[in-house]
């Protein structure tokens, strides 16, 4: 055991087991994150083009604008939540604000009176969805940062994030299948979308609110002195001041980027990208895969309506996609504990790409057979969600060991911005394909016939393009060099 002028160094803390209550509270948050990621991506573009009469390209611009806004604000929220952690000992404040504001704003997004016309309706949706996305980011960014602070264990993080993805897949099934059904309960598209917005908004908000309880457990049992790795209370206080940006001196190793200015907040995000090669590789991989899945998500309703000839078929698509994932997520976690997260992540990605590519046959022979490759994609999707989420806390812990703690919010902000960028570009890519292939927008109740080129574009957007994006993501994943021994050596 090493010594210094202050006496013997404290022995390293052993990885802390996670109470079941903490795991459950954190996992339930994915009821909110899964709902918000699924339902707008599934129905918002379709709501604009087929209920409000907004042109496809403009609908894509609206959805993308909200996501671009996320990219702008997420790094700022990341820095703010890190400062909350240092000053108040918890990340709960922003999580609570987002949880309480989102239900109202989500309902307003789908409350457009059709009589206002396409232009006013488009502006209404744009403003309301921007505000909704802001509320969601206030919750999502600190939520993403929590796992690195809840446990130091490589395998415990896999378990924590596995259960989160179990709830996430259930949420995708619930909102993906239930949301479209809710909009039909009144028999009128206008009031149906409003009912869907109210019920879904409340459900998302409740899930988010429950998850704020997990934020208490991270710091309640991990005081600032332990988080800082400091031997004395005076040193712990100094580290807290450094994280809060209130000390008189700063160094490159200190989290001084979390100052009061917006420029400093962005610098914290850029520094996180610059310092951590594993983070850059993992983020690039996840962004490309979010683009692929976002494209499929946005195209599912169009595939159901125009290729499978039934709006209700979107429910069966989601059951086929998510029901297998509910059972597959624990299996991916078990494989990761035996073989390493990054290797199993690559396997899941390959399976997803092959399954997505198989659906291209719907161009020539649309039919119920498509649910089989979608089910295989669902099995793979569970691994594509749980494993990178379990790898992110490892990346954060690795950076903290090298450069000092207190930056998890900055990493979470960049991660959330990357994820939302991917989903936004997915919807944008779909809208471009629809516009280029001659898709005809319509208002609620209006009957149109889509050209064959538009039908082909819908299928290609659901199959060939996502498969190609996953293939590219494997190249960036190969650059991820963090392994189990790198994480476990930090605990020795």
């Amino acid at each position: 055991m090493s010594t210094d002028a202050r006496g013997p160094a404290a022995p390293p803390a052993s990885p802390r087991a996670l109470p079941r209550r903490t795991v459950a509270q954190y996992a339930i948050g994915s009821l909110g994150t899964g709902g918000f990621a699924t339902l707008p991506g599934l129905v918002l573009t379709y709501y604009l083009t087929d209920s409000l009469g907004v042109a496809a390209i403009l609908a894509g611009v609206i959805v993308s604008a909200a996501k671009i806004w996320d990219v702008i604000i997420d790094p700022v929220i990341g820095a703010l939540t890190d400062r909350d952690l240092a000053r108040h000992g918890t990340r709960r404040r922003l999580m609570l604000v987002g949880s309480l504001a989102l239900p109202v704003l989500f309902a307003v997004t789908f409350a457009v009176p059709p009589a206002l016309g396409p232009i006013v309706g488009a502006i209404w949706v744009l403003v309301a969805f921007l505000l909704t996305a802001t509320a969601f980011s206030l919750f999502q960014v600190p939520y993403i940062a929590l796992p690195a602070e809840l446990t130091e264990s490589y395998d415990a993080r896999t378990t924590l994030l596995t259960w989160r993805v179990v709830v996430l897949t259930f949420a995708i099934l619930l909102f993906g299948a239930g949301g479209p059904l809710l909009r039909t309960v009144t028999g009128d598209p206008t009031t149906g979308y409003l009912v869907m917005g109210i019920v879904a908004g409340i459900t998302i908000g409740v899930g988010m609110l429950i998850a704020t309880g997990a934020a208490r457990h991270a710091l309640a049992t991990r005081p600032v002195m332990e988080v800082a790795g400091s031997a004395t209370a005076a040193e712990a206080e100094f580290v807290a001041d450094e994280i809060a940006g209130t000390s008189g001196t700063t160094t490159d190793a200190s989290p001084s980027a979390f100052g009061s200015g917006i420029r400093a907040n962005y610098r914290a995000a850029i520094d996180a990208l610059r310092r951590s090669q594993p983070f850059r590789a993992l983020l690039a991989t996840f962004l490309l895969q979010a683009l692929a899945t976002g494209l499929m998500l946005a195209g599912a309703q169009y595939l159901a309506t125009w290729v499978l000839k039934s709006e209700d078929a979107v429910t069966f698509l989601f059951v086929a996609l998510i029901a297998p994932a509910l059972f597959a997520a624990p299996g991916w976690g078990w494989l990761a504990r035996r073989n390493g997260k990054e290797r199993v992540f690559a396997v899941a990605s390959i399976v997803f790409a092959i399954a997505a590519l198989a659906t291209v046959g719907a161009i020539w022979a649309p039919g119920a057979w498509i649910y089989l490759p979608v089910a295989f994609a669902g099995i793979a999707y569970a691994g594509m969600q749980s494993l990178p989420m379990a790898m992110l806390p490892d990346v954060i812990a690795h950076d903290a060991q090298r450069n000092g703690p207190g930056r998890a919010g900055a990493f979470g902000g960049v991660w959330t911005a990357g994820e939302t960028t991917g989903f936004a570009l997915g919807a944008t890519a779909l809208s471009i394909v629809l516009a280029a292939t001659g898709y005809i927008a319509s208002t609620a109740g209006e009957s149109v016939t889509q050209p064959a080129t538009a039908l082909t574009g819908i299928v290609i957007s659901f199959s060939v393009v996502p498969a190609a994006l996953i293939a590219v993501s494997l190249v960036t994943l190969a650059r991820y060099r963090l392994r189990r021994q790198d994480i476990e050596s930090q605990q020795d």
Side-chain angles (χ1 to χ4, degrees), residues 167-184:
V167 176
L168 178 68
T169 52
F170 171 75
I172 294 172
L173 177 61
L174 176 67
F175 287 92
L181 290 177
L182 276 174
R183 70 185 175 189
T184 66

Side-chain angles (χ1 to χ4, degrees), residues 63-469:
V63 174
S64 297
K67 299 304 183 180
I68 291 170
W69 174 243
D70 278 348
V71 174
I72 294 172
I73 64 171
D74 284 350
V76 177
I77 293 173
L80 292 175
T81 189
D82 280 339
R83 288 167 57 193
D84 271 0
L85 175 66
R87 291 177 174 174
H88 308 296
T90 179
R91 299 184 185 274
R92 291 187 70 218
R93 183 174 65 98
L94 297 183
M95 296 175 73
L96 283 171
V97 172
S99 301
L100 296 174
L102 186 137
V104 174
L105 296 170
F106 192 87
V108 169
T109 301
F110 293 97
V112 183
L116 294 178
I119 300 301
V120 177
I123 295 171
W124 177 310
V125 171
L126 174 62
V127 173
F129 196 55
L130 281 174
L131 294 173
T132 307
T134 302
F136 179 71
S137 288
L138 290 174
F139 170 84
Q140 169 81 340
V141 172
Y143 179 70
I144 289 292
L146 282 179
E149 296 158 1
L150 288 170
T151 178
E152 301 93 345
S153 169
Y154 179 89
D155 287 331
R157 289 171 186 155
T158 302
T159 300
L160 175 66
L161 274 301
T162 294
W163 283 110
R164 179 192 164 186
V165 170
V166 169
V167 176
L168 178 68
T169 52
F170 171 75
I172 294 172
L173 177 61
L174 176 67
F175 287 92
L181 290 177
L182 276 174
R183 70 185 175 189
T184 66
V185 295
T186 66
D188 172 65
T190 301
T191 56
Y193 272 109
L194 179 58
V195 168
M196 182 197 73
I198 292 171
V199 174
I202 292 173
T203 306
I204 290 170
V206 168
M208 292 162 59
L209 195 61
I210 291 173
T212 62
R216 290 198 306 262
H217 300 298
L219 267 293
T221 53
R222 281 174 57 83
V224 172
M225 185 169 68
E226 182 186 340
V227 172
S230 178
T232 68
E235 287 175 315
E237 183 178 357
F238 173 78
V239 172
D241 287 342
E242 283 291 301
I243 297 173
T246 58
S247 79
T249 61
T250 60
T251 68
D252 289 341
S254 72
S256 57
F258 308 131
S260 58
I262 292 178
R263 186 173 65 177
N265 295 337
Y266 283 109
R267 190 176 70 188
I270 293 171
D271 285 347
L273 278 170
R274 177 181 55 80
R275 286 193 315 270
S276 178
Q277 187 278 332
F279 184 55
R280 292 194 301 272
L282 186 62
L283 179 65
T285 303
F286 197 67
L287 188 152
L288 287 166
Q289 295 194 355
L291 172 55
T293 54
L295 182 56
M296 294 181 72
L297 181 65
Q301 181 67 76
Y302 293 92
L303 184 73
T305 302
W306 299 109
V307 178
L308 300 180
K309 306 299 184 183
S310 170
E311 283 194 356
D312 295 336
V314 71
T315 299
F316 297 107
L317 281 172
F318 266 82
V319 171
L321 179 67
I322 302 305
L326 281 171
F327 302 98
W332 290 115
W334 178 80
L335 286 172
R337 285 188 289 272
R338 291 177 61 89
N339 301 290
K341 300 173 191 178
E342 69 290 337
R343 293 173 183 166
V344 179
F345 183 21
V347 172
S349 302
I350 292 169
V351 172
F352 185 92
I354 294 172
L357 186 60
T359 64
V360 73
I363 293 177
W364 305 282
W369 66 266
I370 200 172
Y371 299 129
L372 181 60
V374 168
F376 277 99
I379 293 172
Y381 181 72
M384 288 168 55
Q385 285 291 299
S386 62
L387 296 172
M389 289 178 185
M391 292 157 73
L392 178 61
D394 296 337
V395 170
I396 295 172
H398 181 258
D399 178 79
Q401 191 268 339
R402 291 181 168 226
N403 302 292
R407 299 173 175 89
F411 279 94
V414 177
W415 182 266
T416 303
E419 181 181 13
T420 53
T421 298
F423 277 110
L425 292 176
T428 302
L430 175 65
S431 68
I432 292 172
V433 171
L434 292 178
T437 54
Y439 184 85
I440 302 171
S442 60
T443 57
E446 183 181 358
S447 178
V448 299
T449 300
Q450 299 295 343
T453 53
L455 301 181
T456 300
I458 290 169
V459 176
I460 289 175
S461 297
F462 194 83
S463 57
V464 176
V465 179
L469 289 167

